[in-house]
Amino acid sequence: MIYIELTARQEEIIEIVKENEPITSEQIADKLNLSRAALRPDLAILTMAGILEARPRVGYFYSGKSVMNFISEYIKKIKVKDVKRVPVVVQENTSVYDAIVTLFLEDTGTLFVMDEEGYLAGVVSRKDLLKIAIGNMDIHKVPVGIIMTRMPNIITVGPEDTVYQAAKKIVEHEVDALPVIIPVKKEGDTTSKYKIVGKITKTNITKIFVELGNY
Amino acid sequence: MIYIELTARQEEIIEIVKENEPITSEQIADKLNLSRAALRPDLAILTMAGILEARPRVGYFYSGKSVMNFISEYIKKIKVKDVKRVPVVVQENTSVYDAIVTLFLEDTGTLFVMDEEGYLAGVVSRKDLLKIAIGNMDIHKVPVGIIMTRMPNIITVGPEDTVYQAAKKIVEHEVDALPVIIPVKKEGDTTSKYKIVGKITKTNITKIFVELGNY
């Protein structure tokens, strides 16, 4: 893909087509006091860019496509598997106190909880921990398994999903991080279990935003 | 601005110029087994897009410009003042307990602390609160003024700065949110005070990312 800064005349042509579609090249040339030959390169560029559509024996139409479509297309090409990060994991029987210590030691914002077989069991946020920390429970005794959000209430994303889809889920469900999971179905099981292979966070997305601006 | 999907031949021309610059149109035509006339529209497009540079009597050069420059330019146009959100504010003498309650009631992640005159005094994160909550202090008695990050250690941003600059600060300093501030210098003061007029957060930037993808 390439981009081209439109000339004043090209912008004018777009405006003329917008207001008069369908319009022939003769009619456009007339309005601009130009010959058809002089107009030809501009019409070629605008058609190639998909901004104008030429229909034989009818004339030119405005396609409505804008440069924003391009940014959108680019953003939707970034996949979860290409930017996911390593999740910090604790066990279901880890105490709330130890979970909080892990949060500080690992310098992270969300903890993912595994069951005994190593499958995703739950997610614990800073606010989940804060709520318990100011309550009346003994945080050295209460296990995170009791306070975590558990399946099927966890909002998740797959490695082949786009970061755009992940960002949408983060915004819609007001969470800080999503586990990246792969479903595993063992013989005889009626429901899937989930292996956690990464995480996508708001920090992640903020970093991508900075990288896009760095070019 | 418009964008154009490059044809296979145009991509090939770019590669030829990259490897052989400066190179004349005759030489490019030779390598592709084409006539100069057949090559002319492609060279016109690539030059207009700024990908190739034509120097008279020398030949074509590769400019190194890519489509990513465009995304970057677009992202750098978004200003803090256009996307900033309303900050949740507490007073310096608010207790840590009341601050935590405010965090839940207002559904926010970072609290901004004001001094008695209404100027920015500090910032308190979920982790600052969590650290105190599991310590030995009485959270009903300790005021947030004691645990907050205070000026000049607060990372801030101005309304005229770009969201790109804000995102960079968020990533570099590993914080969740920045206060948007305006310096105020009263007569006789040697140092400025800061009015807080908004906040920029990772949630903010994640939402912008989703909006860019929505087009």
Side-chain angles (χ1 to χ4, degrees):
Chain A
M1 298 255 208
I2 58 175
Y3 71 94
I4 292 179
E5 191 87 42
L6 290 180
T7 63
R9 190 200 283 171
Q10 287 162 354
E11 301 272 13
E12 212 177 334
I13 294 169
I14 294 172
E15 285 313 307
I16 290 171
V17 176
K18 265 190 199 170
E19 282 164 29
N20 303 283
E21 61 179 6
I23 181 168
T24 64
S25 57
E26 286 92 338
Q27 292 168 320
I28 301 171
D30 267 4
K31 284 187 185 281
L32 291 168
N33 278 322
L34 289 171
S35 69
R36 276 184 71 192
L39 197 62
R40 203 168 296 135
D42 288 329
L43 286 176
I45 295 256
L46 293 174
T47 310
M48 211 177 320
I51 293 191
L52 299 187
E53 259 176 76
R55 289 189 210 151
R57 283 184 300 278
V58 184
Y60 286 90
F61 287 84
Y62 174 65
S63 73
K65 217 172 166 184
S66 82
V67 74
M68 293 307 294
N69 294 120
F70 166 67
I71 297 191
S72 168
E73 275 169 34
Y74 183 85
I75 279 179
K76 285 181 183 149
K77 276 183 197 149
I78 310 169
K79 289 215 166 181
V80 163
K81 65 177 174 191
D82 296 324
V83 300
K84 67 182 167 58
R85 305 171 76 203
V86 179
V88 176
V89 174
V90 294
Q91 304 296 314
E92 275 190 84
N93 59 5
T94 304
S95 72
V96 167
Y97 181 83
D98 286 343
I100 294 172
V101 170
T102 303
L103 201 78
F104 283 105
L105 287 180
E106 300 281 347
D107 197 14
T108 193
T110 304
L111 298 172
F112 300 94
V113 186
M114 274 191 188
D115 66 18
E116 286 174 358
E117 291 173 281
Y119 294 111
L120 178 64
V123 174
V124 180
S125 72
R126 281 164 287 185
K127 278 192 163 176
D128 292 334
L129 296 169
L130 200 51
K131 200 179 284 169
I132 301 305
I134 63 167
N136 290 320
M137 295 204 251
D138 182 350
I139 58 173
H140 292 273
K141 285 186 184 150
V142 177
V144 287
I146 284 182
I147 67 155
M148 69 187 185
T149 300
R150 48 174 73 241
M151 289 299 258
N153 298 321
I154 305 171
I155 313 301
T156 65
V157 77
E160 295 296 333
D161 290 338
T162 67
V163 175
Y164 166 73
Q165 289 172 308
K168 254 182 107 160
K169 284 186 179 182
I170 285 174
V171 169
E172 277 168 19
H173 298 279
E174 295 183 13
V175 291
D176 289 321
L178 304 177
V180 182
I181 59 166
I182 296 176
V184 181
K185 209 165 185 171
K186 282 196 283 187
E187 243 190 277
D189 282 357
T190 49
T191 55
S192 289
K193 301 209 158 187
Y194 299 94
K195 238 181 96 179
I196 172 166
V197 296
K199 66 173 178 180
I200 292 285
T201 69
K202 286 179 192 169
T203 307
N204 240 326
I205 289 155
T206 305
K207 280 184 180 167
I208 294 171
F209 185 87
V210 171
E211 279 162 24
L212 290 177
N214 276 346
Y215 279 94
Chain B
M1 297 254 208
I2 59 176
Y3 70 93
I4 292 177
E5 191 88 41
L6 290 180
T7 63
R9 190 201 282 172
Q10 286 161 355
E11 301 271 15
E12 213 177 333
I13 294 170
I14 295 173
E15 285 313 306
I16 290 172
V17 176
K18 264 189 200 170
E19 283 164 28
N20 303 282
E21 62 179 6
I23 181 169
T24 64
S25 58
E26 286 92 337
Q27 291 169 320
I28 301 171
D30 267 3
K31 284 189 186 278
L32 292 168
N33 277 323
L34 289 171
S35 68
R36 276 184 70 191
L39 197 60
R40 203 168 295 136
D42 288 327
L43 286 176
I45 295 254
L46 293 173
T47 311
M48 211 177 318
I51 293 191
L52 299 187
E53 259 175 75
R55 288 188 211 152
R57 284 183 300 279
V58 184
Y60 287 90
F61 287 84
Y62 174 65
S63 72
K65 216 173 165 183
S66 81
V67 73
M68 294 307 294
N69 294 119
F70 167 68
I71 298 191
S72 168
E73 275 168 36
Y74 182 86
I75 278 179
K76 284 181 184 149
K77 277 182 197 150
I78 310 170
K79 290 216 166 181
V80 163
K81 65 177 174 192
D82 296 325
V83 300
K84 67 181 167 60
R85 306 171 75 202
V86 179
V88 176
V89 174
V90 295
Q91 304 296 314
E92 276 190 84
N93 59 4
T94 304
S95 73
V96 167
Y97 180 84
D98 287 343
I100 294 172
V101 170
T102 304
L103 200 78
F104 283 105
L105 287 179
E106 300 281 348
D107 196 15
T108 193
T110 304
L111 297 172
F112 299 93
V113 186
M114 273 191 189
D115 66 18
E116 285 174 358
E117 291 172 280
Y119 295 111
L120 178 65
V123 175
V124 180
S125 72
R126 280 164 287 185
K127 278 192 162 177
D128 292 335
L129 295 169
L130 200 50
K131 201 179 284 170
I132 302 306
I134 63 167
N136 289 319
M137 293 205 249
D138 183 349
I139 58 172
H140 292 273
K141 285 186 183 149
V142 178
V144 286
I146 285 183
I147 67 156
M148 70 187 184
T149 300
R150 49 174 73 240
M151 289 300 257
N153 298 321
I154 305 171
I155 313 300
T156 65
V157 79
E160 296 296 333
D161 290 337
T162 66
V163 176
Y164 166 73
Q165 290 172 308
K168 253 181 108 161
K169 284 185 179 182
I170 286 175
V171 170
E172 277 167 19
H173 298 278
E174 295 182 14
V175 292
D176 289 322
L178 304 176
V180 182
I181 60 166
I182 296 176
V184 181
K185 208 165 184 170
K186 283 197 282 188
E187 244 189 275
D189 281 358
T190 49
T191 55
S192 288
K193 301 209 157 187
Y194 298 94
K195 237 181 96 178
I196 172 166
V197 295
K199 66 173 178 179
I200 293 284
T201 69
K202 285 179 192 169
T203 308
N204 240 327
I205 289 155
T206 305
K207 280 184 181 167
I208 294 170
F209 185 87
V210 171
E211 279 162 25
L212 290 177
N214 276 346
Y215 280 93

